[in-house]
Amino acid sequence: MIIEPRTRGFICLTSHPTGCAQNVKDQIAYVQSKGKIEGAKKVLVIGASTGFGLASRITSAFGSDAATIGVFFDKAASEGRPASPGFYNTAAFEEEAQKAGLYAKSINGDAFSNEIKEEVVNLIKEDLGQVDLVIYSLASPVRTHPESGKRFKSVLKPIGEVFTNKTVDFHTGKVSEISIKPAEGDDVENTVTVMGGEDWRMWMDALKNANVLAEGVTTVAYSYIGPEVTKPVYRNGTIGAAKDHLEATAFTISEDLEAIGGKAYVSVNKALVTQASSAIPVIPLYISLLFKVMKEKGIHEGCIEQIERLYSERLFGGDLSLDEKGRIRIDDWEMRDDVQEEITKLWEQATSENINEIGDLEGYSLEFFKLFGFKVDGVNYEADVNELVKIPSIQ
Ligand code: NAD
Ligand code: NA
């Protein structure tokens, strides 16, 4: 079939297998261009099909020749209906890994469940024995709790008071003012239940109890802080409460892993275009200004540049450079004073009339479409493609 982007608001309903595959190949080529990393050799990535998790899997495999197991929750294609992008990304990743002689297997299912944890444990036992790195990169709006069976929903709201600020519709370039109502009822608790650290700890417990963690294992989860302008809706909002919990959980897991010399870290990453960040008001305007400023300064990074730098300079580079709260800060360039000062100035000025000049709306929009395999360089979108792609290890 010929597949075109079909967007509804901030989501895209279709995705392109060839474009997704090209994105994966481009990320692999980037990692290879940076040279080898003396890193972990047996790696489990939870949330491995898109964004930072996919970049982590690629960096482990093609930077350190690691065997990887990837866990994700994606939709396979049906006749005339493309798969979700993570499905196509993983199919392409496994094919490239096979060509390079690297072990790669994937499990598609709900990572929050006991069943998927058990499946992963069994796969590690059978194929790898133990893993020496566990990347936790889930981003989900819902979680069914494995003990109660109750389904929790996360929300993106400020806490305490209404937050009013500017935002941009990146499809139209319209800058407008938006007000977001504060959390109510169980909003904060529910968001912490979904995006906090409980499931990360459950994963590490399950892996440790099954004796599939190697001596000196490292586990890393990803967090975000961001600038003053987004603080009320992000870091001081419901999602920030979940990130506080995730960050605190790193210390608990490190204690749990002490007996095997293991360590848990949180890496604070930079803001990037993802489906989730496109849906948070205010963030798209910030990201379009951030992209403009960072590109002008020659320090722009996407997922793969961030994770390659995280591995080569921090995790396996001998200098974690932890901050006062014990976190790895690979958002260091985003948070530089000169970058943030410039954005603050531009923020004041931003209107529908000037946003295309002072912000990188085009770059934002391009990145959005690329998440789904569209507008990728070198791909012929007029060509007939088979939407029914399979992931080699999942047949
Ligand atoms: P993403 O949506 O691109 O990736 C999420 C992954 O989780 C996908 O592989 C998806 O399949 C998987 N997943 C979701 N629900 C699942 C479930 N129930 N079971 C199994 N797999 C499931 O997200 P991302 O932007 O890469 O975010 C990953 C982490 O990085 C999050 O903790 C996020 O907060 C953090 N982070 C994101 C940004 C940003 O700007 N996007 C910045 C800093 C930190
Ligand atoms: Na991810």
Side-chain angles (χ1 to χ4, degrees), residues 46-54 71-74 84 86 107-113 116 136-143 195 221-225 234 239 243 246 267-277 283 287 303 306 334 371:
I46 302 156
S49 65
T50 57
F52 286 116
L54 173 65
V71 183
F72 46 81
F73 210 9
D74 277 283
S84 55
I107 291 181
N108 187 10
D110 183 6
F112 294 126
S113 70
I116 290 296
Y136 188 83
S137 186
L138 288 188
S140 174
V142 291
R143 174 181 175 211
M195 286 296 286
Y222 297 138
S223 188
Y224 183 63
I225 295 175
Y234 196 95
I239 184 71
K243 290 302 187 192
L246 181 83
S267 171
V268 181
N269 299 350
K270 87 177 269 270
L272 284 167
V273 178
T274 60
Q275 258 183 296
S277 59
I283 302 260
I287 292 181
C303 277
Q306 274 273 289
E334 168 180 0
L371 294 174

Side-chain angles (χ1 to χ4, degrees), residues 92 95 163 166 208 225 228 251 294 314 330 357 386:
E95 263 165 47
F163 174 54
K166 288 177 180 180
K208 187 177 135 243
I225 295 175
E228 288 301 320
F251 295 101
M294 291 186 83
R314 302 287 202 279
I330 210 71
E357 284 152 54
N386 175 19

